[in-house]
């Protein structure tokens, strides 16, 4: 029996695959004392990485509002890591059922653009 790690692939902690957006997707975000509009570097059904130089501490809850053709998509996310001068990675904490459907439609569109 051959283990996956023996074949050169390492297991990942990600539940969902990420899609790069090529700056086609922007998000308005706010976390109380700070707000901005930032391009999305990549995203999945589980999280997002925003290009921004504005620092938000890990563990901070951020309210996201997607600016996309699929319609209104709102989500709450928790900051998981910060890359100084590059951006911030967040995990979705709450997405309504309706918004989750539009998020899935957005992901499908972004995947089709990558081919």
């Amino acid at each position: 029996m051959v283990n996956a790690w023996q074949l050169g692939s390492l297991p990942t902690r990600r539940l969902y695959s990420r899609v790069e957006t090529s700056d086609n997707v922007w998000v308005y975000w706010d976390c109380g004392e700070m707000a901005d509009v930032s391009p999305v570097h990549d995203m999945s059904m589980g999280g997002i990485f925003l290009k921004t130089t504005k620092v938000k501490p890990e563990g901070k809850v951020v309210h996201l509002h997607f600016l996309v053709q699929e319609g209104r998509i709102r989500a709450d996310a928790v900051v998981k890591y910060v890359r100084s001068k590059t951006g911030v990675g967040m995990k979705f904490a709450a997405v309504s059922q309706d918004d989750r459907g539009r998020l899935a439609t957005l992901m499908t569109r972004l995947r089709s653009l990558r081919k």
Side-chain angles (χ1 to χ4, degrees), residues 19-81:
V19 175
E20 288 189 33
T21 64
S22 304
D23 293 338
N24 293 329
V25 179
W26 288 71
V27 173
Y28 167 80
W29 57 265
D30 73 79
C31 58
E33 69 278 353
M34 189 183 318
D36 200 4
V37 176
S38 300
V40 176
H41 178 268
D42 61 47
M43 60 183 291
S44 73
M45 289 297 291
I48 190 168
F49 185 84
L50 297 181
K51 294 179 184 178
T52 182
T53 56
K54 296 194 175 183
V55 177
K56 288 144 291 298
E58 290 183 17
K60 185 81 169 172
V61 175
V62 178
H63 307 289
L64 304 170
H65 305 268
F66 288 78
L67 309 172
V68 293
Q69 68 189 34
E70 284 73 17
R72 180 187 72 202
I73 302 173
R74 293 175 298 174
D76 290 340
V78 177
V79 175
K80 288 306 208 177
Y81 62 93

Side-chain angles (χ1 to χ4, degrees), residues 61-113:
V61 175
V62 178
H63 307 289
L64 304 170
H65 305 268
F66 288 78
L67 309 172
V68 293
Q69 68 189 34
E70 284 73 17
R72 180 187 72 202
I73 302 173
R74 293 175 298 174
D76 290 340
V78 177
V79 175
K80 288 306 208 177
Y81 62 93
V82 176
R83 291 190 186 147
S84 64
K85 298 183 183 178
T86 304
V88 60
M90 299 179 217
K91 180 179 180 179
F92 293 134
V95 182
S96 76
Q97 200 63 22
D98 289 342
D99 289 345
R100 193 156 190 77
R102 287 187 286 275
L103 182 63
T105 302
L106 170 62
M107 293 296 299
T108 300
R109 178 172 63 88
L110 292 174
R111 282 194 176 94
S112 73
L113 295 174

